[in-house]
């Protein structure tokens, strides 16, 4: 088994045009670990995800994943390696059916097991089986979010990055979402969870990291973060 972290990011800098957002980010996620990535609006969480996944160019720093150097890699190579992102805002293909959206999830990786994995997804998300022929854009927000996650799982991720999966969901669906994430983690999947929903993500996380102004200000157990008044005030606004 490989020693060290599954995902190992060191000194990552990046941004948009000349605007720097990431200022030397360090982040590690170990195999099977659930890490909650916290930070206020504009801290750079989404930019970090995009840069790690090859959707934004890294200016400097290194991204190692599963023993491979993915710094500067094309997003397709990132997916091939098993680092799968479910983007913010449940970006499903609205005009394609639920089934077609799932099929696209295995375009780059795990294509040989597409049929079997679709069955698995229908088992994990029974609602998707019921509406497999329906256009994704006509489903409810919660269903689209589930579909976006199922599509990500179709690629058999080694590490799954979830960007704000509970955003905009009704309270009951937020509970369902966190139950699902817990199930995935319990199944051994490594998860990097970006959430505004701090309380619930800290409940299920093994470790928490706080990004502020483009660099990592805290990394430790949820207990350490929640147990210190100073840290709670500084990073969680509690
Ligand atoms: P949120 O929780 O609001 O999504 P975030 O932590 O994910 O916040 P980012 O979306 O990464 O933060 O944004 C970090 C900074 O980068 C912000 O100041 C934002 O205005 C800026 N930014 C984001 N996208 C772009 C872009 N396409 N072009 C220029 N600046 C951008």
């Amino acid at each position: 088994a490989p020693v060290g972290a599954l995902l190992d990011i060191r000194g990552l800098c990046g941004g948009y045009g000349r605007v720097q957002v990431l200022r030397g980010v360090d982040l590690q996620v170990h195999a099977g670990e659930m890490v909650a990535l916290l930070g206020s609006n504009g801290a750079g969480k989404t930019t970090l995800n995009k840069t790690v996944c090859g959707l934004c160019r890294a200016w400097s720093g290194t991204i190692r994943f599963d023993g491979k150097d993915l710094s500067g890699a094309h997003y397709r190579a990132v997916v091939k390696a098993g680092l799968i992102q479910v983007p913010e805002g449940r970006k499903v293909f609205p005009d394609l059916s639920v089934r077609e959206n799932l099929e696209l999830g295995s375009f780059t990786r795990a294509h040989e097991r597409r049929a079997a994995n679709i069955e698995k997804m229908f088992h994990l998300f029974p609602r998707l089986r019921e509406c497999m022929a329906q256009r994704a854009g006509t489903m409810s927000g919660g269903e689209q979010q589930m579909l976006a996650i199922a599509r990500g799982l179709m690629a058999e991720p080694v590490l799954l990055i979830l960007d704000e999966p509970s955003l905009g969901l009704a309270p009951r669906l937020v509970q369902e979402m966190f139950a699902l994430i817990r199930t995935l983690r319990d199944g051994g999947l490594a998860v990097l969870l970006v959430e505004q929903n701090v309380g619930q993500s800290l409940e299920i996380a093994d470790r928490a990291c706080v990004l502020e102004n483009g660099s990592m200000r805290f990394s430790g157990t949820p207990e350490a973060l929640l147990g210190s008044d100073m840290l709670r005030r500084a990073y969680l606004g509690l």
Side-chain angles (χ1 to χ4, degrees), residues 18 33 112 172 216:
R18 283 195 210 127
E33 191 182 29
E112 334 66 81
R172 186 180 54 82
M216 217 53 91

Side-chain angles (χ1 to χ4, degrees), residues 142-162:
E143 289 165 348
Q144 290 187 34
Q145 184 63 65
M146 293 296 180
L147 175 58
I149 293 175
R151 188 183 55 191
L153 293 173
M154 285 294 293
E156 300 183 355
V158 178
L159 169 66
L160 187 67
I161 301 184
L162 296 171

Side-chain angles (χ1 to χ4, degrees), residues 130-147:
E130 289 166 27
C131 56
M132 64 173 128
Q134 198 177 318
R135 279 178 54 233
T138 64
M139 300 201 305
S140 75
E143 289 165 348
Q144 290 187 34
Q145 184 63 65
M146 293 296 180
L147 175 58

Side-chain angles (χ1 to χ4, degrees), residues 81-154:
L83 206 176
I84 309 297
Q85 185 196 190
V86 179
E88 191 178 6
R90 53 185 91 115
K91 294 194 178 61
V92 297
F93 297 99
D95 295 326
L96 298 183
S97 71
V98 166
R99 177 183 273 280
E100 287 164 336
N101 268 276
L102 290 176
E103 286 171 356
L104 281 175
S106 61
F107 186 77
T108 304
R109 187 178 147 94
H111 190 260
E112 334 66 81
R113 287 179 298 283
R114 186 168 81 177
N117 283 336
I118 286 185
E119 259 317 301
K120 274 191 194 158
M121 291 310 122
F122 286 161
H123 184 73
L124 193 58
F125 305 94
R127 180 75 191 112
L128 295 184
R129 189 196 299 276
E130 289 166 27
C131 56
M132 64 173 128
Q134 198 177 318
R135 279 178 54 233
T138 64
M139 300 201 305
S140 75
E143 289 165 348
Q144 290 187 34
Q145 184 63 65
M146 293 296 180
L147 175 58
I149 293 175
R151 188 183 55 191
L153 293 173
M154 285 294 293

Side-chain angles (χ1 to χ4, degrees), residues 202-231:
L202 288 182
E203 255 175 51
I204 59 175
D206 301 303
R207 197 153 53 80
C209 293
V210 181
L211 190 68
E212 281 307 339
N213 195 24
S215 62
M216 217 53 91
R217 293 301 159 82
F218 173 86
S219 168
T221 62
E223 293 72 30
L225 185 56
L226 289 169
S228 153
D229 283 341
M230 194 269 283
L231 293 174

Side-chain angles (χ1 to χ4, degrees), residues 16 32 69 94 111 130 186 214:
Y16 306 92
D69 184 4
H111 190 260
E130 289 166 27
D186 291 349

Side-chain angles (χ1 to χ4, degrees), residues 16 19 21 39-48 50 88 164 196:
Y16 306 92
V19 180
V21 175
S40 50
N41 286 325
K45 304 181 296 296
T46 297
T47 306
L48 174 59
K50 286 184 180 165
E88 191 178 6
E164 305 277 6
Q196 299 284 349

